[in-house]
Amino acid sequence: MGPLFLRALKAQLVFLITSILLFTIGCEDDDHDAGHTDADGFILETEGEVEMWKEFKGAVVTDNLTLAVGDTLELKVHFLDHDGVEITHDEHDDHDDHEGEEEEESTLSITENDATIAIVEIEEHHEESGSEEHHDEMGIEVIGVSAGTTNFKLRLMHGEHADYTSVNNVKVTVTAAAN
């Protein structure tokens, strides 16, 4: 009877530990969602809402990021949820305290860029609409330096870690300046 009892106790103990771990992981995911962005893609578009680049669920949907030497493109960055819908952030979500701590704002980061072809910089778009509160959008600025092709990675940072990193390198093509 001793070995049977121990075997039954062992199975119950494994079940109990597994349940506790799953519950703990589930709680951590809830806290993670509170201040983090769960994106499955992003769009880079001009001020005139022309889509220049789109990545969704690892696939490149739009690949049209082209400019001439000396030109500058100001692009808005929109992150997409699992349905491909733009993720919007309430002004309050970015600044409210979470369990007594100031919530960190999300920022953009650019890596792996060849600045001899194109300079890619982070830019903050600032909009005001009438008497409503202003809204800051995330954006980048791309400046054509010399003819050629370069790539960069786009990351949405939350503090010291990335909530989202582009799966693909964003391709930038710079053409010769028009005479």
Side-chain angles (χ1 to χ4, degrees), residues 15-29:
F15 178 75
L16 178 64
I17 290 172
T18 303
S19 297
I20 290 171
L21 286 174
L22 289 175
F23 178 75
T24 303
I25 291 169
C27 290
E28 287 175 4
D29 285 344

Side-chain angles (χ1 to χ4, degrees), residues 165-177:
T165 300
S166 57
V167 176
N168 301 285
N169 287 327
V170 178
K171 184 175 80 175
V172 178
T173 303
V174 180
T175 60

Side-chain angles (χ1 to χ4, degrees), residues 63-164:
D63 178 4
N64 191 29
L65 191 46
T66 303
L67 70 158
V69 171
D71 284 353
T72 300
L73 276 177
E74 292 184 11
L75 301 170
K76 296 185 282 183
V77 180
H78 303 284
F79 288 93
L80 306 172
D81 68 11
H82 66 280
D83 292 324
V85 177
E86 180 182 346
I87 298 170
T88 58
H89 299 281
D90 285 342
E91 194 75 20
H92 308 289
D93 289 346
D94 290 337
H95 301 291
D96 286 349
D97 286 349
H98 180 69
E99 295 181 19
E101 294 182 18
E102 182 72 20
E103 193 65 41
E104 294 183 37
E105 290 186 36
S106 295
T107 58
L108 293 176
S109 170
I110 302 292
T111 61
E112 303 177 26
N113 172 239
D114 181 356
T116 63
I117 305 287
I119 298 169
V120 182
E121 299 176 329
I122 306 304
E123 180 180 74
E124 189 173 294
H125 291 99
H126 185 73
E127 294 182 0
E128 290 190 29
S129 53
S131 62
E132 296 179 19
E133 291 183 27
H134 63 274
H135 174 70
D136 294 326
E137 290 186 333
M138 292 185 189
I140 62 172
E141 184 175 78
V142 182
I143 304 165
V145 177
S146 64
T149 302
T150 185
N151 299 293
F152 67 90
K153 287 273 189 186
L154 180 74
R155 297 188 310 169
L156 177 64
M157 301 299 294
H158 188 258
E160 296 295 318
H161 70 276
D163 276 355
Y164 180 82

